[in-house]
């Protein structure tokens, strides 16, 4: 079976390695992202004398004609970034499939591994589905799952997901090749499902009035290679790299973000409900630098006391208005 491969990054690299394990499956060509094509995919294509494409518009008729000449039986997308139109989807007789790092019909959309951790899930799924003209809604061909352990963070979940994606795509291709696939409409699993939005700048800031569970999950969900969960320390942006939940931590009311305890290699910080142990921090200077264990005195405050800041700024505004009034009256 001839496979047209569209992809980018380590997800695509590992999937191609898996595909090569099956002597009955042959890569017909490779399509990479534009304008910064994956160099490893390029080298892969060159070593095997495969056509390598980086179209600015994947739906351009002239490009689709080039693909058609290679006569793929099926096309595969692994981390490819362009939306495919109906003409592109109908190029191969066995269809066009995609690997999505979410448990469809749940976790459609963007940054789904981050959201799974933020939501405190105890497992995540990787889904291979037929591509249709909507986003992440096509019938499911293969689906595999892995546990999310208390020790997992974004980096470890990425490692698991890359392996699951590669094995799921190979499973799907082998089933399709043998005409043994029985695709499942997503509506049979759940009538609605849900979409996740793309995380944007500003989403990384910690609100210390949240629960310890929510803050801990945010920290581990966006730890590097993510942007890192961010707060202020002595007025400077600071990254919280690692945290630990404290078993049986009592709930009580106090000022969120305050350091209320110190241990060797960590500090204990008050949250909206209980307390959380912070074990790794770093500075932010456009990038994460100076990673270290925290050593803050008790009483130090992470974040911003919004009421205090509003009062302080209000007083500044009042002082400026008074000075302006004095100048106008002179």
């Amino acid at each position: 079976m001839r496979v047209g491969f569209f992809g980018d990054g380590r997800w695509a690299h590992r999937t191609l390695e898996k595909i090569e394990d099956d002597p009955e499956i042959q890569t017909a060509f490779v399509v990479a992202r534009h304008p910064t094509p994956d160099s490893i995919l390029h080298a892969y294509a060159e070593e095997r004398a495969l056509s390598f494409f980086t179209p600015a518009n994947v739906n351009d008729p002239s490009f689709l004609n080039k693909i058609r000449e290679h006569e793929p039986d099926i096309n595969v997308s692994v981390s490819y970034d362009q939306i495919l139109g109906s003409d592109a989807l109908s190029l191969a007789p066995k269809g066009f499939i995609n690997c999505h790092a979410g448990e469809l019909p749940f976790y459609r959309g963007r940054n789904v591994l981050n959201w799974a951790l933020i939501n405190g899930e105890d497992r995540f799924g990787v889904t291979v589905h037929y591509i249709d003209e909507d986003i992440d809604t096509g019938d499911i061909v293969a689906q595999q799952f892995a546990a999310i352990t208390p020790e997992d963070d974004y980096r470890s979940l990425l490692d698991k997901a890359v392996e699951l994606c590669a094995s799921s795509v190979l499973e799907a291709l082998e089933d399709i090749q043998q005409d043994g696939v029985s695709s499942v409409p997503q509506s049979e699993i759940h009538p609605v499902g849900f979409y996740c939005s793309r995380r944007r700048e500003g989403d990384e800031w910690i609100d210390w009035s949240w629960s310890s569970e929510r803050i801990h999950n945010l920290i581990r969900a966006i730890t590097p290679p993510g942007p890192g969960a961010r707060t202020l320390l002595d007025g400077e942006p600071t990254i919280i790299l690692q945290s630990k939940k404290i078993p049986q931590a009592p709930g009580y009311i106090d000022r969120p973000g305050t350091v209320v305890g110190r241990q060797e290699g960590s500090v204990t910080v008050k949250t909206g409900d209980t307390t959380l142990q912070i074990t790794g921090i770093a500075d932010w200077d456009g990038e994460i630098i100076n990673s270290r264990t925290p050593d803050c005195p008790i009483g130090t405050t992470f974040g911003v006391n919004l009421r205090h800041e509003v009062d302080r700024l209000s007083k500044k505004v009042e002082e400026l208005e008074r000075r302006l009034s004095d100048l106008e009256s002179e």
Side-chain angles (χ1 to χ4, degrees):
M1 182 168 69
R2 290 174 57 78
V3 174
F5 193 84
F6 295 65
D8 181 76
R10 59 185 295 211
W11 304 77
H13 308 160
R14 186 68 182 118
T15 302
L16 279 173
E17 289 174 3
K18 280 282 189 180
I19 289 174
E20 289 221 329
D21 291 342
D22 191 324
E24 301 299 319
I25 300 175
Q26 176 188 4
T27 305
F29 56 84
V30 176
V31 181
R33 293 185 180 188
H34 177 90
T36 54
D38 187 304
S39 59
I40 293 176
L41 292 183
H42 193 190
Y44 175 93
E46 282 191 333
E47 288 169 6
R48 293 157 181 81
L50 298 174
S51 295
F52 182 76
F53 303 104
T54 59
N57 177 7
V58 73
N59 298 299
D60 185 271
S62 62
F63 168 69
L64 297 182
N65 286 334
K66 292 178 184 177
I67 294 299
R68 193 173 286 110
E69 291 172 1
H70 288 76
E71 299 182 337
D73 296 304
I74 189 167
N75 288 318
V76 176
S77 171
V78 179
S79 197
Y80 191 65
D81 63 343
Q82 293 193 47
I83 296 174
L84 299 150
S86 58
D87 289 341
L89 296 178
S90 62
L91 279 173
K94 292 183 181 293
F96 209 134
I97 60 174
N98 173 64
C99 183
H100 178 74
E103 183 184 344
L104 298 180
F106 313 105
Y107 289 98
R108 298 183 182 118
R110 304 295 295 272
N111 302 118
V112 295
L113 294 177
N114 306 104
W115 286 117
L117 282 164
I118 289 169
N119 279 298
E121 301 284 7
D122 59 9
R123 76 168 191 175
F124 74 100
V126 165
T127 307
V128 177
H129 64 96
Y130 285 112
I131 304 176
D132 57 21
E133 292 189 66
D134 291 322
I135 298 174
D136 302 332
T137 57
D139 292 355
I140 293 171
V141 184
Q143 198 166 50
Q144 296 184 12
F145 302 92
I148 299 177
T149 71
E151 291 74 33
D152 274 320
D153 59 15
Y154 181 40
R155 187 183 299 279
S156 65
L157 221 60
L158 273 173
D159 291 340
K160 292 181 182 182
V162 167
E163 290 300 318
L164 278 188
C165 175
S167 60
S168 297
V169 169
L170 182 61
E171 175 191 334
L173 288 174
E174 290 176 342
D175 286 345
I176 290 169
Q177 180 189 21
Q178 297 164 10
D179 294 324
V181 67
S182 179
S183 59
V184 178
Q186 294 187 32
S187 59
E188 288 188 7
I189 299 173
H190 192 276
V192 180
F194 63 79
Y195 279 90
C196 295
S197 59
R198 181 176 184 174
R199 294 191 61 78
R200 297 178 179 175
E201 186 175 353
D203 291 347
E204 70 274 19
W205 288 91
I206 297 170
D207 182 340
W208 292 98
S209 67
W210 290 341
S211 68
S212 293
E213 179 81 14
R214 182 172 179 181
I215 294 171
H216 173 70
N217 284 338
L218 175 68
I219 291 167
R220 68 186 185 130
I222 59 173
T223 195
R230 202 170 307 177
T231 188
L232 291 176
L233 179 60
D234 297 327
E236 295 297 326
T238 300
I239 302 296
I240 306 296
L241 293 173
Q242 292 177 314
S243 61
K244 289 183 179 179
K245 293 188 291 184
I246 301 173
Q248 300 180 324
Y252 66 101
I253 296 172
D254 202 330
R255 190 171 62 248
T258 303
V259 175
V260 294
R262 296 180 66 187
Q263 307 81 34
E264 185 176 351
S266 70
V267 294
T268 301
V269 179
K270 183 69 183 77
T271 66
D273 58 352
T274 59
T275 50
L276 186 66
Q277 196 173 357
I278 303 302
T279 58
I281 64 174
D283 296 325
W284 176 255
D285 186 22
E287 60 181 348
I288 296 173
I289 59 172
N290 192 25
S291 300
R292 62 195 185 278
T293 56
D295 185 23
C296 310
I298 290 175
T300 301
T301 300
F302 284 103
V304 177
N305 184 319
L306 292 177
R307 180 174 295 176
H308 172 77
E309 284 299 298
V310 168
D311 288 345
R312 184 180 66 83
L313 292 172
S314 294
K315 289 176 181 177
K316 275 195 169 184
V317 170
E318 289 173 1
E319 176 64 18
L320 289 171
E321 288 177 340
R322 185 188 63 76
R323 291 181 182 180
L324 180 61
S325 178
D326 289 346
L327 288 171
E328 289 175 344
S329 62
E330 288 179 359

